[in-house]
Amino acid sequence: MGKTLSCLLAAGLITVPAASHTKGFVSRKVVASQQGPHLTSRAAILMDAKTGAILYEKNAFKQMDPASVTKMMTALLVIQHGHLSRVVTISSHAASTVGSRMHIATGQQYTVYDLLHGLLMRSGNDASVALAEADAGSVSRFVAKMNVKAQELGAFNTQFENPNGLTKPGHFSSAYDLALIARYAMTVPLFRQIVANKEAVVTELRHHQRREIHNTNQLLYTFPGATGIKTGTTDAAGKCLVASAQRNGDELIAVVLHSQDRYSDARNLLAWGFEHWSTVEVVHPGEVLAQVPVQGGQQPMVPVEAMHSVWLSLPNQETYHINATLKFLKAPVARHQASGFITVTTPGQPAVVTSVQTMQSDAAAVHHHRWWIIRGK
């Protein structure tokens, strides 16, 4: 019937079971304080890995030199393009790359898989060039792909000029953009696995030489629950770190750029976030959200549920509200029939909208008619 029911939850015209109220239709409190941690970095951000919510930021949208944190994007593209068992012969161009190194030499051979470990764990600038050449045929073509991917991820304040983060005019990003890239990259299983490794063994295939490499990210050794991700250091960028950690089912991503003490800054950010915020599933499929009237049905109402879970990042004593905009239904009603949407709002965050569907079917009512036969004489 076109007509919708809006804000009727509050008016009581759409019924919601008492159990749903107890799960948070009014508010939820999380132990917290809203004063941010002390940091030495020039720019920083703390992001909820599940929701993408910004829990803290300091100059997070300012263009900064990202140093070797750049390599997150390099690894992401290489992994997604596949061919991990492919053998790469190291060029003289790759072997002579300056700065932090995996220590590979001209003519040596490694698999893409092992070079990725040298890239992310040892921050090898030489490995980044070798992977770029093998993946795209040249470093310039690979960098073009990096910039396209950045735009796809919404990292609009980012531009890459090389695959390793060596200082170069026009090579920049922001704490926010780097958090976006990290959040996406951590959904890729192999990326997630490599950045969490403290040690790994790589093999030079031509001479069958095996050696152990260790992760440059000291947070993996010192912060309980640390899951990655990437260090970066140049004179221009200072000391940088993208760090992630899990606790009680929540995962946070911290980015600190040009820091005087990157590990202390990252620890402070992560610890503050875990103490003062929680990631909460406020709506989930299977939960009755409301009872919607049915015109001409065998039953007067049918229950509806959300089609997808809704997660929020919530600080101390913060409330959230759920508003339903639901359709009047006309029999027959099918199970899982679209019946409107709900909007979840909380101060300081964008509204979350998800569709609503019926939880059961309802056939049209059957009307019985009586017939009378009048016999004439």
Side-chain angles (χ1 to χ4, degrees):
M1 285 181 56
K3 187 176 179 181
T4 59
L5 309 176
S6 184
C7 302
L8 296 185
L9 281 172
L13 299 180
I14 298 179
T15 60
V16 181
S20 292
H21 284 287
T22 62
K23 291 182 181 178
F25 270 77
V26 179
S27 65
R28 175 188 173 99
K29 292 185 177 181
V30 185
V31 178
S33 159
Q34 281 307 291
Q35 185 173 356
H38 171 72
L39 301 178
T40 67
S41 59
R42 294 184 182 177
I45 196 169
L46 183 66
M47 179 177 286
D48 188 317
K50 180 177 287 292
T51 67
I54 299 173
L55 314 186
Y56 173 89
E57 69 90 16
K58 174 185 178 182
N59 298 324
F61 302 93
K62 181 180 180 181
Q63 290 181 1
M64 303 281 288
D65 191 321
S68 287
V69 174
T70 297
K71 294 176 179 126
M72 293 191 300
M73 180 63 83
T74 304
L76 176 60
L77 283 180
V78 171
I79 292 171
Q80 291 191 324
H81 292 165
H83 311 293
L84 302 180
S85 60
R86 177 182 177 184
V87 176
V88 177
T89 301
I90 307 305
S91 70
S92 59
H93 181 211
S96 62
T97 308
V98 299
S100 59
R101 295 169 50 80
M102 181 185 171
H103 299 291
I104 53 181
T106 305
Q108 288 184 335
Q109 293 183 332
Y110 292 87
T111 62
V112 168
Y113 181 83
D114 277 0
L115 288 173
L116 282 166
H117 285 74
L119 175 80
L120 289 171
M121 295 177 62
R122 290 306 305 162
S123 199
N125 293 337
D126 45 3
S128 74
V129 172
L131 286 168
E133 290 176 338
D135 185 270
S138 71
V139 170
S140 61
R141 281 196 290 269
F142 185 82
V143 170
K145 294 181 180 181
M146 292 173 68
N147 287 316
V148 169
K149 190 66 176 181
Q151 294 293 304
E152 291 177 356
L153 296 179
F156 301 125
N157 207 22
T158 293
Q159 180 174 292
F160 297 118
E161 293 292 334
N162 57 55
N164 43 50
L166 286 170
T167 304
K168 189 172 183 179
H171 189 97
F172 57 81
S173 189
S174 68
Y176 174 74
D177 282 8
L178 293 169
L180 284 183
I181 295 168
R183 182 189 177 208
Y184 179 80
M186 288 295 277
T187 67
V188 178
L190 180 57
F191 182 97
R192 187 179 186 90
Q193 172 192 323
I194 295 174
V195 298
N197 285 344
K198 296 177 183 178
E199 298 89 21
V201 174
V202 297
T203 303
E204 197 284 306
L205 298 173
R206 176 161 288 178
H207 302 95
H208 307 287
Q209 294 177 338
R210 292 163 55 88
R211 60 189 169 102
E212 189 174 75
I213 59 175
H214 297 81
N215 204 312
T216 60
N217 181 6
Q218 296 303 305
L219 207 70
L220 293 173
Y221 304 86
T222 61
F223 190 84
T227 54
I229 299 175
K230 187 69 193 74
T231 59
T233 307
T234 63
D235 290 341
K239 294 186 180 298
C240 305
L241 178 64
V242 177
S244 61
Q246 287 183 322
R247 189 172 296 177
N248 298 323
D250 297 343
E251 184 166 38
L252 303 181
I253 296 170
V255 180
V256 292
L257 302 178
H258 212 297
S259 171
Q260 297 177 31
D261 188 344
R262 60 184 167 187
Y263 295 114
S264 178
D265 283 348
R267 280 193 295 267
N268 288 342
L269 263 178
L270 292 168
W272 176 86
F274 287 126
E275 181 181 357
H276 298 315
W277 291 75
S278 287
T279 311
V280 183
E281 186 181 17
V282 298
V283 174
H284 59 85
E287 177 182 26
V288 178
L289 294 175
Q291 299 283 347
V292 180
V294 179
Q295 181 186 26
Q298 293 183 2
Q299 300 182 30
M301 292 187 171
V302 294
V304 295
E305 65 177 340
M307 295 179 68
H308 305 285
S309 294
V310 175
W311 292 83
L312 290 181
S313 305
L314 292 173
N316 181 43
Q317 299 186 5
E318 190 58 88
T319 61
Y320 61 86
H321 302 277
I322 299 177
N323 181 72
T325 302
L326 306 174
K327 297 178 181 178
F328 281 108
L329 299 175
K330 184 176 181 179
V333 175
R335 187 183 178 194
H336 297 160
Q337 180 175 323
S339 52
F341 60 91
I342 58 171
T343 305
V344 185
T345 57
T346 189
Q349 295 188 39
V352 181
V353 179
T354 190
S355 300
V356 171
Q357 64 184 4
T358 56
M359 300 179 72
Q360 64 187 48
S361 60
D362 187 14
V366 177
H367 299 286
H368 298 282
H369 300 279
R370 293 183 179 179
W371 298 88
W372 287 269
I373 299 176
I374 302 175
R375 294 184 178 181
K377 291 184 179 179

